[in-house]
């Protein structure tokens, strides 16, 4: 190949690669396969190896080119990077909106751009004539650290802006502001890896992102999966945009990644509040952490007019959601025995508020986990409470150690029945092997009456424990023989409460197959597996006859569950219990099977919100028809139902070729569509 031709090829390959990077990392919508992309990159590497004089720092091959630095140099921000004032109540948000309107006087009503507040670290990227020339941290707002070499390893950050057709002209100077972050899954993976290597853990994705960007060796940064959302600008010359929204859309067309599905523009307070609520409820579902939302005046002229205070603009405010982590102290560690005999260490905490709930306990999982995290009694720790899961100790703050903290070891005997505990090979969980251990029957009963199982209201832990301790109830079968007089023997039990409990027990007799199965407490049969089994077998008799092979053939049932199910139904005591429950009047409603094969046994996943029903309603409806309601898109998913403001599940489902249903399609399929 001649130099001239190499030059031409290199330039063509580079723009192709940059374009496909953009499709993949910025739009999440690739046009070519990974293999085809790799081919392009390989070709470029080959030619550059042959003609090293053609290598330029902005070549896609040079993202991880830099050598470790000795330290970070400083970069002054042309326009200071301000911080935001916070609002943590609706009242404070209203005050902000009032202040804005007052500040604008008789100008036209402003509109507001609202987008999620990403919990990462702020960066500024400077593009001169479309080329990335500087990247820096926020620092003190005036001067930050030069992180250009590290930032170049982040694939969603373009080294050259894209001269796409139909895009507005690329400004001569563009200072992009955005948030670098790490997705929750990548954060978990990174921490697992660090645990294995004995390295200190990161407390949250934000620390992990910050730690990864502030690495002196760009090769380390390159290995961490980091990402960027752009949300604004410093200087932009020339600036032909009249709204922030237009500017953001333009940024996307230049190759910069914005959080497009979640950027909204509103006029009224109630619309804004509605969206904030939606974001807060969907927070767990997002693949990245958000700690609130930012509300910004959309019109750039109005922003200028409103101006700023010393450190924050008057045209924007951060609405903070409730935190999901807090720092507290471990007072003691108690060992609980579960319904399968599993021993779980539980930390008793100095009570602390997390996201509006007082947290007193956190699970420590098992001895391995305690050792890995080096958790001791008396330690100051970071506790996290996310969604409905049991709070967890994320990390010990070792710098707070006084030396008086006491290491913890799991007991050799069951703390309830004193039987020597055992650990199966390859497991990390200690178990009490005594099937008559009272702790197991208490825990089993608690499970049986719980909301997702037989849902017997009023039968709390204190009452159940008394019933077991007094020998009135040994197993769930006994619950259905309970009389009011039995209950009246208990402490703090009045006739009214006793009646309510009896009628709750009565009411629970009408149940679904899925609930019934889940109530049995078969190991490895959680709510989801119970759903799969219920819709597959359609009747208890058929399930009881199934062998391992038959079970293993079902999508979503693994070898452990299959073995455990067969073993459960092979035991006379379990078959007897089922008989007693049925004889006591428990009536199992089976999924209706007369519906077309299109629903029964199929897995549905929902993204976004439906107009006609809540998520919970959709779930119940589908389960009632023998379908499975999945939480994430996987190869076992049959349908993705797409509501308003869908999340990343949509892209994933598209990429996997999963059938996508609009709300209307969905209602039609259920036979609920409009005539
Ligand atoms: S707009 C004048 N939008 O929050 C500042 N900021 O507490 C305008 N942040 O330093 C900022 N997500 O690092 C904006 N969608 C978003 C954001 C966001 C995260 C960060 C940003 C800023 C901090 C302010």
């Amino acid at each position: 190949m001649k130099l001239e031709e190499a030059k031409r090829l290199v330039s063509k390959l580079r723009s192709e690669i940059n374009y496909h990077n953009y499709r993949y990392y910025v739009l999440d919508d690739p046009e070519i396969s990974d293999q085809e992309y790799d081919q392009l990159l390989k070709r470029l590497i080959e030619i550059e190896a042959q003609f090293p004089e053609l290598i330029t720092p902005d070549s896609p091959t040079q993202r991880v080119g830099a050598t470790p630095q000795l330290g970070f140099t400083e970069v002054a921000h042309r326009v200071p990077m301000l911080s935001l004032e916070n609002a943590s109540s609706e009242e404070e948000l209203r005050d902000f909106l009032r202040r804005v309107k007052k500040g604008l006087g008789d100008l036209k009503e402003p509109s507001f751009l609202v987008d999620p507040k990403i919990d990462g670290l702020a960066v500024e990227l400077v593009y001169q004539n479309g080329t990335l020339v500087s990247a820096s941290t926020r620092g003190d707002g005036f001067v930050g650290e030069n992180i250009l070499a590290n930032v170049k390893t982040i694939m969603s950050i373009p080294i050259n802006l894209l001269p796409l057709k139909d895009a507005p002209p690329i400004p001569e100077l563009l200072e992009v502001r955005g948030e670098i972050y790490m997705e929750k899954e990548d954060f978990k993976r990174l921490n697992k890896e660090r645990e294995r290597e004995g390295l200190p853990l990161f407390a949250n994705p934000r620390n992990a992102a910050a730690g990864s960007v502030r690495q002196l060796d760009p090769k380390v940064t390159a290995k961490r999966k980091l990402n960027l959302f752009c949300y604004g600008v410093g200087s932009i010359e020339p600036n032909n945009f009249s709204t922030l929204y237009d500017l953001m859309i333009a940024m996307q067309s230049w190759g910069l990644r914005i959080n497009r599905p979640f950027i909204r523009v509103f006029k009224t307070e109630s619309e804004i509040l509605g969206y904030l609520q939606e974001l807060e409820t969907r927070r767990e579902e997002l693949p990245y952490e958000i700690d609130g939302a930012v509300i910004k005046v959309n019109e750039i002229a109005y922003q200028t007019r409103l101006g700023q205070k010393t450190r924050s603009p008057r045209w924007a405010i951060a609405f903070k959601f409730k935190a999901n982590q807090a720092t507290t102290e471990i007072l003691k560690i108690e060992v609980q025995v579960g319904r399968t005999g599993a021993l779980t260490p539980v930390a008793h905490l100095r009570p602390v508020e997390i996201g509006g709930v007082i947290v007193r306990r956190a699970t420590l999982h098992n001895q391995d986990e305690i050792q890995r995290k080096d958790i001791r009694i008396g330690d100051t720790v970071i506790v996290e409470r996310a969604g409905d899961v049991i709070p967890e100790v994320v990390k010990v703050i070792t710098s707070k150690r006084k030396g008086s903290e006491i290491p913890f070891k799991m007991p050799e005997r069951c703390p309830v029945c004193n039987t020597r505990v055992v650990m199966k090979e390859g497991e990390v969980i200690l178990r009490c092997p005594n099937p008559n251990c009272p702790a197991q029957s208490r825990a089993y009963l608690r499970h049986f009456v719980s909301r997702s199982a037989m849902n017997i209201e009023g039968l709390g832990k204190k009452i159940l424990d008394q019933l077991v301790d007094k020998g009135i109830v040994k197993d769930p079968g006994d619950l259905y023989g309970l009389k009011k007089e039995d209950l009246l023997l208990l402490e703090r039990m009045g006739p009214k409460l006793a009646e309510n409990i009896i009628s709750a027990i009565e009411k629970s007799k009408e149940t679904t197959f899925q609930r019934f199965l889940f109530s049995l407490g078969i190991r490895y049969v959680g709510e989801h597996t119970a759903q799969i089994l219920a819709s597959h077998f359609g009747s208890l008799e058929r399930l009881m006859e199934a062998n391992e092979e038959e079970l293993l053939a079902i999508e979503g049932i693994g070898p452990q569950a299959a073995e455990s199910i067969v073993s459960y139904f092979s035991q006379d005591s379990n078959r007897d219990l089922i008989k007693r429950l049925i004889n006591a009047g428990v009536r199992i409603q089976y999924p209706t099977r007369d519906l077309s094969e299109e629903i029964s046994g199929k897995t549905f996943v929902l993204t976004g919100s439906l107009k006609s029903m809540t998520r919970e309603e959709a779930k119940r409806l589908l389960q009632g028809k023998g379908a499975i309601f999945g939480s994430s898109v996987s190869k076992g998913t049959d349908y993705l139902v797409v509501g308003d403001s869908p999340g990343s599940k949509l892209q994933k489902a598209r990429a996997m070729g999963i059938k996508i249903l609009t709300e209307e399609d969905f209602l039609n399929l259920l036979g609920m569509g409009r005539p």
Side-chain angles (χ1 to χ4, degrees), residues 34 81 156 236 255 299 316 333 355 358 363 443 446 535 588 669:
D34 291 1
M81 288 179 82
S156 54
I236 167 169
E299 292 76 14
I333 297 177
I358 303 289
T363 178
R446 274 206 292 281
S535 78
I588 304 172
L669 186 66

Side-chain angles (χ1 to χ4, degrees), residues 78-79 126-130 161 169-176 233-241 247 254:
R78 224 165 299 209
V79 178
V126 182
Y127 289 90
Q128 260 163 3
N129 297 313
L161 296 179
I170 290 172
E172 277 154 42
L173 174 67
L174 175 65
E175 293 178 343
V176 180
V233 294
S235 349
I236 167 169
E237 287 163 21
N239 183 356
N240 304 319
F241 298 93
L247 173 57
W254 298 328

Side-chain angles (χ1 to χ4, degrees), residues 82-84 115-118 121-122 138 179 231 294 296 313 315:
L82 300 176
S83 54
L84 287 176
D115 64 347
K117 185 163 188 297
I118 309 295
L121 94 150
R138 177 170 179 275
E179 201 80 357
Y231 53 67
V294 186
K296 307 164 220 192
W315 48 265

Side-chain angles (χ1 to χ4, degrees), residues 80-86 113-123 138 177-180 229-233 244 248 259 291-296 311-313 315-318 320:
M81 288 179 82
L82 300 176
S83 54
L84 287 176
E85 236 172 89
N86 289 330
L113 185 147
V114 185
D115 64 347
K117 185 163 188 297
I118 309 295
D119 203 7
L121 94 150
V123 286
R138 177 170 179 275
R177 304 276 169 87
E179 201 80 357
I180 292 187
F229 277 133
C230 303
Y231 53 67
V233 294
L244 180 56
M248 291 186 73
N259 195 359
D291 56 353
V294 186
I295 297 105
K296 307 164 220 192
R311 306 300 309 257
S312 57
W315 48 265
I317 199 160
K320 291 280 230 172

Side-chain angles (χ1 to χ4, degrees), residues 312-531:
S312 57
R314 287 203 186 84
W315 48 265
I317 199 160
F319 184 84
K320 291 280 230 172
F321 296 154
K322 295 192 173 73
N324 61 3
Q325 286 193 340
T327 303
T328 185
E329 195 187 325
I330 298 189
L331 303 175
K332 65 171 187 178
I333 297 177
E334 176 202 45
V335 175
Q336 288 182 351
V337 186
R339 72 189 145 88
T340 56
L343 270 61
T344 309
V346 175
H348 289 231
L349 307 169
R350 185 175 299 293
V352 62
E353 198 222 276
I354 311 181
V357 173
I358 303 289
V359 173
R360 296 164 201 281
R361 286 186 179 78
T363 178
L364 300 177
H365 300 289
N366 55 55
Q367 180 74 43
D368 259 34
E369 189 85 0
I370 296 178
Q371 242 151 23
R372 247 180 291 155
K373 293 184 180 162
D374 188 19
I375 296 169
R376 305 181 192 176
I377 301 162
D379 265 339
T380 301
V381 292
I382 297 175
V383 178
E384 181 174 294
R385 180 187 147 263
D388 295 333
V389 300
I390 306 168
E392 246 188 345
V393 170
V394 182
K395 179 187 156 75
V396 174
I397 306 180
T398 39
S399 58
K400 290 268 171 84
R401 283 219 170 121
K402 298 183 205 77
S404 54
E405 295 75 13
I406 308 163
F408 174 82
K409 227 180 132 331
M410 290 293 276
E412 289 173 2
R413 292 180 172 276
C414 170
V416 179
C417 71
N418 210 35
T419 307
R420 193 169 275 283
V421 294
V422 295
M423 190 187 289
K424 260 208 207 156
E425 228 184 80
E427 288 194 357
V428 286
I429 307 276
L430 286 169
R431 280 176 207 284
C432 165
N434 172 13
N436 300 316
C437 174
Q440 293 184 36
S441 32
R442 279 187 222 148
Y444 178 26
L445 283 163
R446 274 206 292 281
H447 166 77
F448 187 84
V449 306
S450 65
R451 187 127 51 111
S452 323
M454 297 298 276
N455 191 19
I456 307 181
E457 271 171 54
L459 267 186
K461 177 176 183 301
K462 293 220 170 87
I463 298 176
L464 281 177
D465 285 357
Q466 284 188 68
L467 288 167
V468 175
D469 294 344
K470 288 195 182 344
I472 306 172
V473 171
K474 284 194 204 63
D475 65 30
D478 297 334
L479 288 177
Y480 290 98
L482 272 184
K483 306 227 162 30
K484 193 173 157 192
E485 301 83 78
D486 298 324
L487 288 170
L488 288 171
L489 297 172
L490 309 182
E491 281 160 38
R492 276 190 261 157
M493 176 66 65
K496 187 72 202 141
L497 182 54
E499 263 166 43
N500 286 346
I501 293 177
I502 296 288
S503 78
I505 293 177
E506 204 46 43
K507 206 172 112 196
S508 77
K509 286 182 179 171
E510 287 295 327
T511 192
T512 62
F513 189 20
Q514 185 257 340
R515 275 179 182 278
F516 185 80
L517 270 179
F518 177 59
S519 316
L520 294 178
I522 305 169
R523 254 182 101 185
Y524 302 114
V525 180
E527 264 186 280
H528 182 66
T529 306
Q531 250 185 68

